[in-house]
Amino acid sequence: MSSSISTIVMFVVLIALMYFMMIKPQKKQQQQHQKMLSELKPGDEITTIGGLHAVVSEIDTEKALVTLDCDGVYLDFSRNAIARVTKKAESQPTATAEEEKAPETEETTESESK
């Protein structure tokens, strides 16, 4: 009877070890990949699972397709075919510092002329 209990305990320990060593890291990696795909936007430089380096031109979320620009050649790929983002697209600034300073300088020159 004690040998059957020890066998069951060994089996449970083996399954738990397998879960923490193999399954959990794989799920974490899969979640990171899904997060990367959800943050994908036009202008990002990417690498596909086939090794193609390109720039994202447009994203069709309805069909889960990504159109890639490869030096003027546009190719459609599944979103899941993207292995990694090599360079994020630069975000467009909402207002530049020059535009913000321009109204202040006009007001200053008007008050100085009075």
Side-chain angles (χ1 to χ4, degrees):
M1 177 149 165
S2 68
S3 66
S4 63
I5 292 174
S6 65
T7 304
I8 291 172
V9 169
M10 273 295 248
F11 187 67
V12 169
V13 168
L14 183 63
I15 289 174
L17 184 65
M18 187 172 68
Y19 174 77
F20 285 108
M21 297 298 286
M22 294 173 58
I23 298 170
K24 192 171 180 181
Q26 184 180 5
K27 282 186 179 183
K28 184 177 179 182
Q29 184 180 17
Q30 190 176 25
Q31 287 174 345
Q32 289 174 342
H33 188 256
Q34 288 300 322
K35 182 181 178 206
M36 178 207 52
L37 291 178
S38 68
E39 294 175 350
L40 196 64
K41 60 185 180 287
D44 288 349
E45 294 181 17
I46 57 99
T47 303
T48 65
I49 56 175
L52 179 71
H53 296 268
V55 177
V56 176
S57 176
E58 58 184 80
I59 301 170
D60 185 357
T61 55
E62 190 175 295
K63 294 180 182 177
L65 289 176
V66 178
T67 302
L68 303 178
D69 180 8
C70 304
D71 294 329
V73 178
Y74 293 90
L75 303 169
D76 289 333
F77 279 88
S78 170
R79 283 180 82 137
N80 292 330
I82 296 173
R84 66 182 167 270
V85 176
T86 55
K87 184 178 177 185
K88 290 288 214 181
E90 294 180 12
S91 59
Q92 297 293 333
T94 55
T96 61
E98 294 174 10
E99 292 174 357
E100 292 174 1
K101 290 181 182 179
E104 294 173 8
T105 56
E106 290 175 10
E107 291 174 8
T108 310
T109 55
E110 288 177 13
S111 62
E112 289 175 0
S113 62
K114 291 182 182 178

